[in-house]
């Protein structure tokens, strides 16, 4: 039943008709506010300032994907340059995270690379990190190639890898010679069963296996690692493995989404873990929000509750 719900919302995330219907409805807009401090950059910056007071760092990301016009992708790049300047001006403890298809990856790797590299350079001059999100499996090879190119020139770039993909263990091996910075997540897209672990327990086991490998590399000084998860079992599994390796609590980051497990985020930060909250903003929230609904039935009940609010 749960798996069916997940499949439905992943299907809905790609359905343009449903997108038009739902984004116009007030109840959806109200429900999405739980995960989105607002649609504007200023809303995201305000949320980052509040988090900073709770000892939580942040990552800013403007929602949007599969941009198909060069001038629109250029505008996204300009926007992120201004985000970095604002982060610097307001002295936020914040990085940025980017989706390659928002920078024109569908028009070619070189196109996306040149736009993203401008952002990486500006971020480097301001001592900030640029994380590259991982999108659906059709983009994994090109996104890894993009990361390898960027990482060979710049140290301030991170790459997200997804534990649900069978290929990820070998991708980690191929990335290690670059001393990578990796954000490990479970994976959020609708994928064919032959390339992913389909059972949650297998995804979890692979997440912890990959976490172990990456933490070993952290210990050797050969990688940095962030764990993007709200799952208490993953978080305790990761911290136990780190402890066994003699790593300090601050030798990795725990990253969560804004609006999810807020109390846990604050508690972990107060215990000495480095916690970073990913704050999304912008108008193109529909596919992203559907993926959040796919992740957790409670989010669907929250949406349903808003249906009856005035
Ligand atoms: P999972 O969904 O397996 O749930 C396990 C447990 O975690 C639940 O039982 C509950 O206890 C807790 N939990 C999970 N979601 C919760 C919620 N909404 N509210 C309360 N508790 C909850 N994906 C991707 O494909 N590419 C990417 O680039 C990224 N980037 C990214 C960055 C960051 C910072 C995060 C946190 C996540 C991503 N993701 C992602 C999403 C990721 O792949 C995954 O879909 C979600 O994090 C959900 O998986 P979890 O590991 O959180 O737990």
């Amino acid at each position: 039943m749960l798996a069916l719900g997940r499949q439905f919302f992943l299907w809905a995330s790609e359905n343009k008709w449903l997108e038009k219907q739902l984004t116009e409805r007030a109840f959806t807009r109200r429900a999405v506010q739980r995960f989105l401090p607002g649609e504007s950059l200023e809303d995201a910056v305000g949320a980052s300032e509040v988090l900073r007071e709770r000892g939580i760092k942040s990552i800013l990301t403007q929602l949007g994907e599969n941009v198909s016009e060069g001038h629109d992708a250029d505008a996204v790049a300009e926007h992120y340059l201004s985000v970095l300047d604002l982060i610097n001006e307001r002295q936020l403890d914040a990085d940025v995270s980017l989706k390659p298809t928002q920078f024109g990856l569908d028009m070619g790797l070189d196109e996306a690379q040149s736009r993203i590299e401008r952002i990486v350079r500006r971020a480097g001059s301001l001592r900030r990190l640029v994380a590259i999100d991982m999108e659906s499996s059709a983009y994994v090879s090109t996104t890894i190639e993009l990361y390898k190119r960027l990482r060979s020139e710049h140290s301030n770039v991170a790459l997200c890898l997804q534990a649900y993909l069978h290929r990820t263990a070998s991708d980690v091996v191929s990335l290690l010679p670059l001393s990578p910075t990796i954000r490990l997540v479970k994976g959020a897209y609708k994928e064919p069963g032959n390339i992913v672990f389909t059972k949650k327990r297998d995804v979890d086991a692979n997440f912890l296996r990959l976490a172990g490998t990456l933490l070993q590399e952290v210990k050797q000084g050969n990688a940095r690692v962030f764990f993007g998860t709200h799952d208490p079992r993953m978080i305790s599994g990761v911290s136990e493995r780190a402890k066994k390796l003699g790593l300090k609590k601050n030798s990795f980051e725990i990253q969560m989404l804004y609006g999810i497990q807020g109390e846990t985020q604050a508690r972990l930060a107060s215990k000495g873990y480095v916690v970073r909250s990913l704050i999304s903003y912008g108008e193109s929230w529909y596919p992203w929000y559907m993926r959040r609904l796919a992740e957790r039935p409670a989010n669907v009940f929250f949406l349903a509750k808003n249906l009856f609010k005035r």
Side-chain angles (χ1 to χ4, degrees), residues 21 25 68 71 75 90 103 107 116 133 190 195 203 277 304:
Q21 301 305 312
R25 299 285 187 279
S68 56
H71 58 89
R90 305 274 273 264
F103 291 84
M107 292 175 274
I116 293 177
D133 287 349
K190 180 165 164 277
I195 62 164
V203 178
S277 184

Side-chain angles (χ1 to χ4, degrees), residues 215 237-248 252 273:
L215 287 167
V238 160
S239 45
E240 277 160 27
R241 280 163 179 75
K243 203 169 165 192
K244 272 197 192 133
L245 288 165
L247 290 168
K248 293 199 180 123
F252 56 92
Y273 291 98

Side-chain angles (χ1 to χ4, degrees), residues 247-270:
L247 290 168
K248 293 199 180 123
K249 284 179 183 165
N250 63 1
S251 54
F252 56 92
E253 288 190 8
I254 297 170
Q255 302 188 341
M256 297 196 192
L257 302 181
Y258 174 86
I260 299 185
Q261 306 273 38
E263 289 313 312
T264 309
Q265 295 190 28
R267 186 170 45 76
L268 290 167
S270 72

Side-chain angles (χ1 to χ4, degrees), residues 172-183:
V172 167
V173 172
S174 85
L175 286 159
L176 288 178
L178 288 166
S179 299
T181 299
I182 302 292
R183 177 207 297 152

Side-chain angles (χ1 to χ4, degrees), residues 18-19 28 60 64-65 104 187 189 199 204 208 211 230 232 286:
L18 211 54
E19 172 166 359
T28 333
L60 303 187
E65 42 203 85
Y189 292 82
K199 295 200 176 87
D204 291 358
L208 290 175
H230 315 97
Y286 173 81

Side-chain angles (χ1 to χ4, degrees), residues 134 160 162 183 186-188 229-231 260-261 295-296:
M134 191 58 84
C160 181
Q162 299 152 324
R183 177 207 297 152
K186 290 190 189 176
T229 181
H230 315 97
D231 189 339
I260 299 185
Q261 306 273 38
E295 279 157 15
R296 190 157 163 84

Side-chain angles (χ1 to χ4, degrees), residues 13 30 42 46 56 81-82 88 144 175 210 215 224 256-257 263 269 291 305:
S13 73
R30 271 197 306 270
E42 195 48 52
I56 298 168
L81 293 172
S82 70
N88 188 48
I144 289 178
L175 286 159
L210 293 165
L215 287 167
R224 284 182 71 199
M256 297 196 192
L257 302 181
E263 289 313 312
R291 291 197 292 273
K305 242 169 51 191

